[in-house]
C-alpha cells in the first residue's frame, strides 16, 4: 500500500461490489473471494498498459466469474457443484459476452458483504482481516505488513474466517430489524478498530500505520454512502476525519511522538477538519446522539482551538460526561479524568484516577500510568511523575511511545 493510484483506487472500489455479486449468485464465499482476488491481480497487471475498460466493474465481474467456474471445474470432488454452476451460468454468459458487458454489474452488494465479513460468529481479528481483504481489496501481504505479522499468519487468519463462514452456513442475505442494527454496529466497530490501529500502532517501531487509517476512512465513506440515514456512521466518519487531520503533526523529524499540546497546529489538515466539522454539525441535530457522534464533537472542539491554551475544556468535559452515560468504558472514564483535571485542577483528576486503578482492564495500562504521570507533573511532583512515566514506558508495546515516556522521565529526573 504505497501511494494513491487511479487503477488501485478503482480496484478497491470495485472489489466489494464484484465479490458481493458472485457470492449472491453462487453462495460459496471462499471460492468467490479467491476468484475476485485473481481478477484484481489480472486487472492490476493489464490495465496500466492496456487502459481501464469502459465498464471496469463488469470487466472484473466477468473475469472473476470465469475464474470461479475454472476453480469449480478443476475440483473433481465437487462435480455436483459444477453441475449447479453450469445450470446457473449459461455458456453464452461465459463465452459470448464482452468482459465489460455483464448484465448484473450495476448491483451493489457492498453493505451485505460488510455485514457478512463482520458477522458476530467470527472473532474480532478475523473480522478485521476479512473486511480488509474482501471489502478493502487488499492482498494478504498488504494486510500482514500493516499489522506487522508474517504473511503466513495473516493467511491462516483469513482462511479460518472463510472456513467459519462456510461451517456456519452464513449467507449474503442482509439482516433486518434489530439484527440489522446490531450488525451495522459490528461493522462500525471493525472500522473503528482498523482506524485506531492505523492512527496509533499497538506494536512496532512506527507510531502510525497510515495505510490502515486511510483504508478505514475510505471504507467509512463507503458505509456512510450506503446508509446515509445512520447518524452513528456519520459520526464515525467525522471522528476519523477530525482525528486523522492531526497526523502530520503527531511525529517529529525522527519519528518521535509529539503530544497534542506541543503539536504545530499549522500542520494539521484544514480540509479534513472542515469536512469533519461540517459533517458532525449536520449530524448532531438529527436525532439520538451516540458515542461516535460525541467523540467526533470532542475531536472538533480540539481541532477548532487555535492553540492548546485556547481549548474549551469545560465543553469537552460536558461532552465526556454525556459520552460516559452511553455505556461503561474505562478509556472514556480515563479521558474524562483528564478533562476534569484541566477544568478543576490536577488533584481532582488524580482522585478519579485512583478509582480507575481498581479496574482490572486499566490497572497496569500504560495510558493510565502516563496520565497519572502527566497530572503529577502539572501538580509539581517531579519525582512522582518521573517514576510514573518510567512505569508507563515499561508497559507499552509501542517503541515510539516508550521512547517518549522515557524521555519525559529523564527530563524530570
Amino acid at each position: 500500500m504505497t501511494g494513491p493510484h487511479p487503477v488501485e483506487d478503482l480496484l478497491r472500489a470495485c472489489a466489494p461490489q464484484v465479490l458481493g455479486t458472485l457470492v449472491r449468485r453462487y453462495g460459496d464465499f471462499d471460492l468467490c473471494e479467491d476468484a475476485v482476488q485473481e481478477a484484481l491481480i489480472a486487472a492490476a497487471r493489464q490495465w496500466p498498459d492496456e487502459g481501464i475498460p469502459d465498464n471496469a466493474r463488469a470487466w472484473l465481474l466477468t473475469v472473476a466469474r470465469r475464474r470461479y467456474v475454472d476453480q469449480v471445474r478443476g475440483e473433481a470432488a465437487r462435480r455436483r457443484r459444477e453441475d449447479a454452476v453450469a445450470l446457473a451460468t449459461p455458456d453464452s454468459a461465459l463465452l459470448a459476452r464482452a468482459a465489460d458487458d455483464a448484465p448484473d454489474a450495476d448491483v451493489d452488494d457492498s453493505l451485505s458483504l460488510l455485514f457478512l465479513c463482520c458477522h458476530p460468529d467470527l472473532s474480532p481479528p478475523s473480522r478485521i482481516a476479512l473486511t480488509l481483504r474482501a471489502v478493502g481489496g487488499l492482498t494478504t501481504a498488504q494486510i500482514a505488513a500493516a499489522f506487522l505479522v508474517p504473511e503466513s499468519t495473516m493467511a491462516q487468519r483469513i482462511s479460518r474466517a472463510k472456513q467459519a463462514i462456510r461451517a456456519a452456513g452464513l449467507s449474503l442475505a442482509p439482516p433486518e430489524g434489530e439484527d440489522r442494527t446490531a450488525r451495522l454496529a459490528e461493522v462500525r466497530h471493525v472500522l473503528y478498530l482498523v482506524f485506531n490501529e492505523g492512527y496509533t500502532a499497538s506494536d512496532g517501531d512506527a507510531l502510525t500505520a497510515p495505510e490502515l487509517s486511510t483504508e478505514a476512512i475510505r471504507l467509512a465513506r463507503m458505509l456512510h454512502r450506503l446508509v446515509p440515514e445512520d447518524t452513528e456512521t456519520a459520526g464515525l466518519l467525522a471522528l476519523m476525519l477530525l482525528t486523522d487531520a492531526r497526523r502530520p503533526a503527531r511525529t517529529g523529524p525522527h519519528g518521535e511522538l509529539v503530544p497534542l499540546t506541543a503539536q504545530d497546529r499549522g500542520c494539521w489538515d484544514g480540509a479534513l477538519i472542515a469536512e469533519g466539522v461540517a459533517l458532525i454539525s449536520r449530524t448532531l441535530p438529527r436525532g439520538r446522539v451516540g458515542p461516535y457522534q460525541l467523540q467526533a464533537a470532542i475531536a472538533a472542539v480540539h481541532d477548532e482551538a487555535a492553540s492548546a491554551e485556547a481549548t474549551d475544556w469545560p465543553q469537552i468535559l460536558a461532552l465526556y460526561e454525556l459520552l460516559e452515560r452511553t455505556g461503561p468504558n474505562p478509556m472514556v472514564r480515563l479521558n474524562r479524568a483528564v478533562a476534569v483535571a484541566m477544568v478543576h485542577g490536577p488533584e481532582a483528576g488524580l482522585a478519579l484516577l485512583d478509582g480507575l486503578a481498581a479496574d482490572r482492564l486499566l490497572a497496569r495500562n500504560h495510558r493510565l500510568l502516563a496520565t497519572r504521570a502527566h497530572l503529577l507533573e502539572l501538580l509539581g511532583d517531579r519525582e512522582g511523575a518521573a517514576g510514573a512515566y518510567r512505569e508507563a514506558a515499561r508497559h507499552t508495546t509501542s517503541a515510539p511511545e516508550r521512547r517518549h515516556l522515557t524521555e519525559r522521565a529523564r527530563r524530570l529526573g
Side-chain angles (χ1 to χ4, degrees):
M1 285 181 287
T2 54
H5 187 281
V7 170
E8 183 178 342
D9 290 346
L10 182 58
L11 291 178
R12 290 187 186 177
C14 291
Q17 300 163 359
V18 174
L19 178 56
T21 299
L22 252 64
V23 174
R24 174 165 46 83
R25 175 178 288 244
Y26 301 122
D28 190 326
F29 182 91
D30 195 354
L31 289 183
C32 288
E33 201 276 332
D34 287 342
V36 170
Q37 285 291 322
E38 290 189 25
L40 294 174
I41 292 172
R45 290 172 176 170
Q46 295 180 33
W47 291 2
D49 295 329
E50 300 177 9
I52 298 174
D54 292 337
N55 192 335
R57 189 196 307 181
W59 189 99
L60 287 168
L61 180 58
T62 301
V63 173
R65 184 186 290 121
R66 290 171 178 167
R67 296 290 195 275
Y68 175 83
V69 174
D70 288 344
Q71 290 181 72
V72 175
R73 284 177 173 165
E75 297 181 9
R78 300 185 179 183
R79 293 301 180 187
R80 278 181 286 182
R81 290 180 57 193
E82 179 182 359
D83 293 339
V85 171
L87 290 173
T89 310
D91 288 343
S92 59
L94 296 174
L95 302 176
R97 184 178 292 112
D100 59 354
D101 186 32
D104 51 0
D106 292 330
V107 178
D108 191 347
D109 290 297
S110 299
L111 183 59
S112 296
L113 188 61
L114 270 169
F115 283 145
L116 180 59
C117 291
C118 298
H119 197 282
D121 284 357
L122 304 178
S123 68
S126 295
R127 294 177 209 165
I128 292 172
L130 200 58
T131 297
L132 289 174
R133 180 172 158 106
V135 187
L138 307 183
T139 66
T140 303
Q142 288 173 322
I143 303 170
F147 280 93
L148 303 176
V149 299
E151 184 176 352
S152 58
T153 300
M154 188 57 68
Q156 291 173 359
R157 189 175 298 172
I158 293 171
S159 178
R160 285 195 297 268
K162 293 195 286 188
Q163 290 170 9
I165 288 177
R166 178 186 297 174
L170 304 181
S171 72
L172 201 64
E176 298 179 355
E178 293 183 1
D179 188 27
R180 184 183 189 277
T181 301
R183 293 276 286 281
L184 185 56
E186 293 286 351
V187 172
R188 287 194 299 262
H189 184 58
V190 166
L191 299 185
Y192 181 64
L193 291 176
V194 173
F195 177 82
N196 283 344
E197 181 63 27
Y199 191 71
T200 303
S202 59
D203 203 350
D205 292 329
L207 179 66
T208 65
E211 301 91 344
L212 286 178
S213 51
T214 299
E215 183 63 15
I217 291 174
R218 189 186 72 82
L219 293 177
R221 288 187 188 278
M222 182 186 78
L223 183 62
H224 179 50
R225 186 181 69 250
L226 295 171
V227 288
E229 77 289 349
D230 186 74
T231 54
E232 270 295 82
T233 297
L236 174 62
L237 175 56
L239 172 61
M240 290 181 178
L241 296 173
L242 291 163
T243 305
D244 203 57
R246 305 176 205 144
R247 180 204 305 280
R250 290 192 71 224
T251 54
H254 305 293
E256 67 273 19
L257 184 154
V258 180
L260 181 63
T261 54
Q263 289 177 15
D264 179 0
R265 300 186 177 217
C267 294
W268 289 0
D269 190 322
L272 289 183
I273 293 174
E275 183 183 359
V277 168
L279 180 57
I280 194 59
S281 298
R282 292 195 306 268
T283 302
L284 282 174
R286 287 174 52 192
R288 184 179 178 182
V289 177
Y292 290 121
Q293 295 171 73
L294 290 170
Q295 290 179 75
I298 292 169
V301 175
H302 279 296
D303 287 9
E304 290 185 307
S307 65
E309 295 75 21
T311 302
D312 189 345
W313 281 106
Q315 184 179 357
I316 289 176
L317 176 56
L319 289 168
Y320 269 122
E321 289 172 347
L322 289 174
L323 182 58
E324 195 170 14
R325 295 176 196 169
T326 64
N329 186 316
M331 294 309 298
V332 170
R333 294 169 62 197
L334 177 59
N335 288 327
R336 186 173 76 86
V338 175
V340 166
M342 300 306 294
V343 174
H344 300 296
E347 299 93 337
L350 286 167
L352 291 179
L353 294 187
D354 290 339
L356 288 174
D359 189 317
R360 62 181 182 83
L361 296 176
L362 273 181
R364 312 309 295 173
N365 186 286
H366 76 281
R367 299 195 188 283
L368 173 62
L369 297 167
T371 301
R372 179 181 297 282
H374 176 60
L375 297 187
L376 288 172
E377 184 178 358
L378 291 178
L379 197 60
D381 183 355
R382 296 174 62 88
E383 183 178 353
Y389 278 129
R390 283 192 291 269
E391 188 176 2
R394 288 194 292 269
H395 284 83
T396 183
T397 55
S398 167
E401 287 187 334
R402 185 183 306 113
R403 289 192 292 268
H404 171 72
L405 293 167
T406 301
E407 177 61 18
R408 294 289 291 265
R410 186 194 66 78
R411 290 180 180 177
L412 290 171

